Amino acid sequence: MLTVASTASLKVYVSEWENGRRPISARYAKILRALLGVTDDELTGRAEESSAVPVADGYDELMGRIDAARSVSLTMVNTFMDQTELLRTMDRQLGAASLVDQMSAHLSTLEDALTFAVLPETRRPVARALAGAATLAAWQALDVGAVERAWRNYELGKRAAQEAEEPMYLAHATAEQAYVLCDAGRPSMAVELIRDAQRLGGKAMSPRLTAWLYAAEAEICARAGLHDECRQALEKAERHLPPGEEVRDPDMLSIFLNAGHLARWRGNALALIGNDDAVSNLYDALETADPTFIRASAGLRCDLAQAHVARGEYDQAQEHLRQARLVASRTGSVRHRRRIEQITQQL
């Protein structure tokens, strides 16, 4: 224990050390720090010199992120869009289950870019890219059974589309969100939502997107038991679909629709309402199906199984269910597996 005298002696020693009249070893310095409870800087008075250093308050970091967001160029936005397109391609060929981490990181990057972008000319392009990515992420979440995440991502996509002032993106996200309601057993509410999507798109919609929305309405009307309205929506889809083999919408790259795709959609809707024409439509679609749409082939096989069940042709239904089950297992599609089980229970 230090006495008053010993403490005074130590201070004298320190004073002589400061004035350069007495050397001090590293060992003795360590003892002094322990006894006096001070640092080397405090022993020599250097602590006062450093006390004037300003304390960081977060503004520098914030402004750094804002400045970085200002530098997001059109080239960078195109890179974001290209990455979304790559994830979309991988999704339809490999399934969504293997892309969860990549999709989450992509969305996080886009959300950060939008959060710290200040001026409209920077925000709108990023918001447009976010709207497309969030809608894709939502459909992937729905496919793997993460329904709440799907709903939240659709809401994110809709908000981004509104900020970007892109009615087509808003209509598409809203229409796909209707499938969440439909899968949850609320087809009547889903019908209302998909019709609202058509209203939101208004005159800004391309013919291919318009046809896509009517085809989706037909399917959901079929699930809601609205047979006549289902047929009417299919007729409207056929009228609006542009002619030719082109499948992509240049203004809406997430839309894939031509006569072959529509034949499959028609067969699906007709199978749901028990119409005999469903089988021929679906086999036509099977013959012309794009082989790169691996996950979609499970849905087509489910449609064929549903159509055969409606006709009492259970052996054919079993074969298509077997094929659908293989694809659903390969892609990890919870949504298709659920539908396979529902149809199996009808056998």
Side-chain angles (χ1 to χ4, degrees), residues 267-289:
N268 173 32
L270 294 178
L272 289 170
I273 64 177
N275 189 296
D276 283 343
D277 292 337
V279 172
S280 60
N281 278 273
L282 289 169
Y283 276 110
D284 287 344
L286 186 63
E287 290 179 5
T288 60

Side-chain angles (χ1 to χ4, degrees), residues 327-346:
V327 177
S329 297
R330 176 180 168 186
T331 60
S333 175
V334 173
R335 188 168 184 259
H336 282 139
R337 285 204 297 264
R338 186 183 298 118
R339 190 177 176 207
I340 289 166
E341 293 308 313
Q342 291 171 346
I343 299 172
T344 300
Q345 292 174 8
Q346 300 174 28

Side-chain angles (χ1 to χ4, degrees), residues 142 151 154 172-184 186-187 189-195 197 220:
L142 184 61
W151 187 269
Y154 279 128
H172 180 231
T174 304
E176 281 198 358
Q177 192 175 33
Y179 279 92
V180 183
L181 295 172
C182 206
D183 289 358
R186 301 290 180 88
M189 188 182 296
V191 170
E192 293 181 28
L193 186 58
I194 201 161
R195 288 174 177 168
I220 294 176

